[in-house]
Amino acid sequence: MDLSRILFVLGVGFFLANLRLLVQFIRFLRLRSSALLTWPGRRPPFYGLLLVLGAVLGVLIVYKLAVLQRHPKDVFGEAMMLLYYGYATPLSLKIGRGFYQDGIWSDAGFVPYSTIGGLAWREGEQVTLVLIDRMRQFGRKLTVPDSYYGAARRVLRDKIAAHDIHFTGKSLDLGDHDERDVV
């Protein structure tokens, strides 16, 4: 397999990643008016290096098109990587992580309250809320800044009290505890 095919396959993967981030951003634009408690996304490690990589890819694309006179289809892979590192990743940081009227925006995406089957707090170097999916037993995490920790616990307690999040239906649910105590 030659380099141009490898770059094309990488381009397809980055195209799908760009599409996923675009869909998430559009969903965020629709949901942001219902925000209850949000904060900006955390920058990934080596964020500056990712931006430099995007700039280098931009220069490489211009070089291939202008100097080498390559066909635009020959820079598809590099173009998709440029979009991802130079535009999609910074755009995804604008998505407010936290609590909305209909769900929680975790570090990996939006989770509706109705699909949450369990919650757990992990208090270490950083406070993290772990959300367990009701059907798939799949966990997602939400990194909560220390300054928002108390408010986040209050929002969760209110959502559980309003029955937006509930943990009933377990095999041994005897109804003798207050679900808000889970938070």
Side-chain angles (χ1 to χ4, degrees):
M1 193 180 238
D2 63 339
L3 183 59
S4 63
R5 288 185 185 183
I6 291 172
L7 286 173
F8 180 79
V9 171
L10 280 173
V12 169
F14 275 94
F15 173 76
L16 294 173
N18 291 334
L19 194 60
R20 179 179 170 267
L21 288 174
L22 178 64
V23 167
Q24 283 187 350
F25 190 74
I26 291 170
R27 187 172 192 184
F28 164 70
L29 291 176
R30 287 186 300 180
L31 288 173
R32 73 178 167 182
S33 64
S34 70
L36 301 174
L37 176 67
T38 62
W39 51 89
R42 289 182 28 158
R43 287 185 172 181
F46 307 108
Y47 179 69
L49 184 62
L50 297 178
L51 294 178
V52 168
L53 182 58
V56 168
L57 286 164
V59 170
L60 178 64
I61 290 169
V62 169
Y63 176 76
K64 279 184 153 183
L65 293 175
V67 176
L68 297 179
Q69 301 289 316
R70 302 291 295 265
H71 192 275
K73 71 175 178 139
D74 293 335
V75 295
F76 173 73
E78 292 94 331
M80 291 300 108
M81 287 186 257
L82 168 64
L83 282 174
Y84 183 79
Y85 293 119
Y87 298 100
T89 299
L91 187 67
S92 73
L93 295 178
K94 295 189 183 300
I95 296 174
R97 306 311 195 259
F99 301 90
Y100 293 82
Q101 191 64 39
D102 297 326
I104 299 173
W105 203 290
S106 72
D107 295 339
F110 188 75
V111 181
Y113 292 124
S114 62
T115 65
I116 297 173
L119 298 169
W121 287 102
R122 301 285 181 238
E123 298 173 2
E125 184 177 312
Q126 55 193 9
V127 177
T128 305
L129 175 64
V130 180
L131 311 165
I132 308 299
D133 189 277
R134 181 177 303 283
M135 297 297 175
R136 294 179 283 175
Q137 299 300 314
F138 180 77
R140 290 194 178 180
K141 65 180 187 165
L142 171 66
T143 305
V144 179
D146 292 337
S147 59
Y148 291 94
Y149 181 48
R153 290 182 69 93
R154 281 189 296 280
V155 169
L156 279 175
R157 189 169 175 83
D158 292 345
K159 286 294 178 184
I160 292 170
H163 299 291
D164 291 336
I165 303 173
H166 56 88
F167 308 106
T168 58
K170 305 285 190 232
S171 58
L172 295 175
D173 180 23
L174 302 176
D176 61 348
H177 74 284
D178 187 352
E179 289 180 335
R180 293 174 293 177
D181 293 336
V182 174
V183 175

